Amino acid sequence: MQSGTGAGGEGPHRRSLRERGAATGSWVRGLRTRTETRVPLITHLMSHLVSVNVLDSATRLAAQAFLTAVPLLFVVAALAPQELRDQFARSLQDAFGLSGNANSQLAMVLQGTGSPSDELRQTTGVVGGLMVLISATACSRAMQRLCERAWSLPGSGARVAAWRWIAWLAAWLLVFGLQGSLRDGFGVGLWLGVPLLLVEEVALWWWTQHLLLAGRVPWPALLPGALLTGAALTALTSTATLYVPWALDHSLEKYGSLGAVFTLLSWLISLCVVVALCITVGAVVAREPWAARRLGTPGVPA
């Protein structure tokens, strides 16, 4: 006879486990209900982050941005006047804190055209220009899709959006060319440069959302996303000099040019993840009842 085994012996133990499991499940459900009631913003945010698929959107955006930036760099090196090349080199150096091997590689790309390879450089510039035209609209479309997903809006027609893609890219090129001057406060110093950079980033991302969403969301409702994105990118790019130069030099020394490409692409993906998160969070905040009343977004689809 086996007392303590079989149905009679194991029944109480199993019932105890089931009761504990049921109690734990009830507690979790109760916690979720209380969280949804007391902090609905967190619940809405987590649900929307899943629906937007932030990591996938950010990775696609980073890939398209990289495919646009590389040929664009060769176009600037081959066709732009020396003053513009110097300005772009300064902006890149200030943005990433380039030094050592990485800075030498950049100088080689953006060297003057007064060399025996002028014809080759012009040919490279033409090919790069075609590549920029092909990839530029893909980058703009990726950014537009991210904004539309964040706001749960349908896609715009090509006729409505086409000129906006080119305008967005042109504005970004202009702003990037001024990054070096903005960062050091036009020679005054970082105490002025960082606030100027913050204002520029907020304004740029405010305008970016308005442009790529084709004006379907009111300006005030776009402000939370612009503030979050501008503040986050200002902080990241201002501290990039603490990590990126070391990582680039290490990658170049150990793996060559491919190592540098991997490092830059990883950093670009990180920036795009931050952009995707901030724009999505801004859209969720703007559609919360307490914010929608102040920002005028009650009619935006949830």
Side-chain angles (χ1 to χ4, degrees), residues 3 29 70 84 96 104 135 146 166 269:
S3 90
R29 288 191 296 271
V70 172
L84 184 58
F96 298 109
S104 300
S135 59
L146 171 60
I166 304 300
I269 290 174

Side-chain angles (χ1 to χ4, degrees), residues 5-20:
T5 63
E10 294 181 356
H13 179 63
R14 290 182 178 179
R15 282 197 298 272
S16 176
L17 290 178
R18 284 198 298 270
E19 289 172 358
R20 291 179 183 178

Side-chain angles (χ1 to χ4, degrees), residues 67-300:
L67 291 175
T68 301
V70 172
L72 180 62
L73 184 63
F74 286 99
V75 170
V76 171
L79 303 179
Q82 186 64 45
E83 293 78 8
L84 184 58
R85 292 201 301 272
D86 292 341
Q87 185 66 38
F88 264 78
R90 181 185 175 190
S91 294
L92 286 168
Q93 290 164 356
D94 290 343
F96 298 109
L98 298 182
S99 61
N101 290 336
N103 196 34
S104 300
Q105 293 287 334
L106 177 63
M108 289 176 60
V109 173
L110 294 176
Q111 63 183 331
T113 57
S115 65
S117 59
D118 276 354
E119 184 177 350
L120 177 60
R121 291 170 62 86
Q122 294 293 332
T123 303
T124 302
V126 172
V127 174
L130 293 175
M131 292 297 297
V132 169
L133 290 176
I134 294 172
S135 59
T137 56
C139 180
S140 301
R141 289 198 304 272
M143 187 70 239
Q144 179 183 341
R145 283 194 297 270
L146 171 60
C147 293
E148 289 171 344
R149 284 184 180 182
W151 283 95
S152 303
L153 294 174
S156 300
R159 292 183 180 180
V160 176
W163 70 267
R164 299 173 188 272
W165 301 334
I166 304 300
W168 181 74
L169 183 67
W172 268 96
L173 291 177
L174 176 62
V175 169
F176 185 78
L178 297 174
Q179 285 287 300
S181 300
L182 282 172
R183 194 173 297 276
D184 67 356
F186 295 97
V188 176
L190 286 177
W191 68 268
L192 179 61
V194 172
L196 285 177
L197 194 62
L198 175 60
V199 172
E200 173 264 319
E201 290 283 358
V202 171
L204 185 61
W205 285 104
W206 200 7
W207 174 80
T208 288
Q209 295 177 86
H210 176 77
L211 179 75
L212 296 182
L213 292 174
R216 288 176 287 174
V217 179
W219 279 100
L222 301 173
L223 186 57
L227 289 172
L228 289 171
T229 308
L233 288 184
T234 299
L236 281 176
T237 55
S238 297
T239 57
T241 55
L242 301 177
Y243 167 75
V244 176
W246 172 85
L248 277 175
D249 288 341
H250 177 73
S251 299
L252 280 170
E253 181 180 350
K254 192 169 184 180
Y255 303 108
S257 299
L258 289 178
V261 169
F262 177 78
T263 300
L264 287 175
L265 186 56
S266 300
W267 177 247
L268 190 57
I269 290 174
S270 301
L271 293 178
C272 290
V273 168
V274 170
V275 169
L277 282 172
C278 290
I279 289 179
T280 303
V281 172
V284 172
V285 169
R287 287 180 295 186
E288 288 297 298
W290 56 269
R293 289 191 296 269
R294 296 170 173 81
L295 300 174
T297 56
V300 177

